[in-house]
Amino acid sequence: MLNDAQLTRLNDQIALEAYSSRLYLSMAFWAHSQRLPGVAAFFTNHHEHEEEHMHRLMDYIVQTGGRVVVGGVDEPPQEFKSITEAFDLALKHEQSISSSINALVDAFLEEKDHATYNFLQWYVSEQHEEEALFQGIIDSIELIGEDGRGRFWIDKEVRKNIGASGVENNQ
Ligand code: OFO
């Protein structure tokens, strides 16, 4: 059973996952507005992943008999100067999520809540994969170059990363 402070921490993480979901949804519709269907499909898929991250936490809280808080979500940015800017922002965002997951893991380990510590290990691996995925895409964008026809090839390249784990891509 989770105490109130522990529940607050996990509910705060739910709020972050909800924001991640909206951020990638916003990026997807920005990409549609730029006629970049591959980038749009990638971010739509990533938005769905974030919903899954959020629900996984919700399910865990319910299993422990705790109360899930469904809060509001801040509006994410709507416009991006370039594909590079969107992916740079996505990577920075994932790095900040990794920090918050690490802080959660530290807290539950310190409290000797091994069940929650163990549950959170899935997020540790997931963050590692997501950072590698976004970094790999940023590297490809840099290699292709975003000018002229580059946007066409980048769009195709990004689509190939749908459902990929950054870890296998970077080996
Ligand atoms: Fe992008 O991993 Fe959840 O937030």
Side-chain angles (χ1 to χ4, degrees), residues 45-115:
N45 179 264
H46 219 73
H47 145 73
E48 287 161 4
H49 278 302
E50 299 300 349
E51 290 284 302
E52 190 194 319
H53 296 178
M54 184 181 73
H55 282 285
R56 199 178 262 261
L57 277 157
M58 289 169 159
D59 290 347
Y60 183 77
I61 290 177
V62 169
Q63 284 157 16
T64 62
R67 179 73 166 92
V68 169
V69 176
V70 181
V73 180
D74 289 343
E75 184 178 327
Q78 305 288 328
E79 297 299 330
F80 309 92
K81 286 198 203 87
S82 59
I83 308 172
T84 306
E85 187 180 86
F87 276 97
D88 279 347
L89 183 67
L91 176 61
K92 279 201 188 77
H93 178 69
E94 288 307 329
Q95 287 166 339
S96 79
I97 295 292
S98 297
S99 302
S100 89
I101 292 289
N102 289 342
L104 272 181
V105 168
D106 286 348
F108 281 98
L109 183 61
E110 204 168 304
E111 290 161 2
K112 298 192 185 344
D113 181 339
H114 295 290

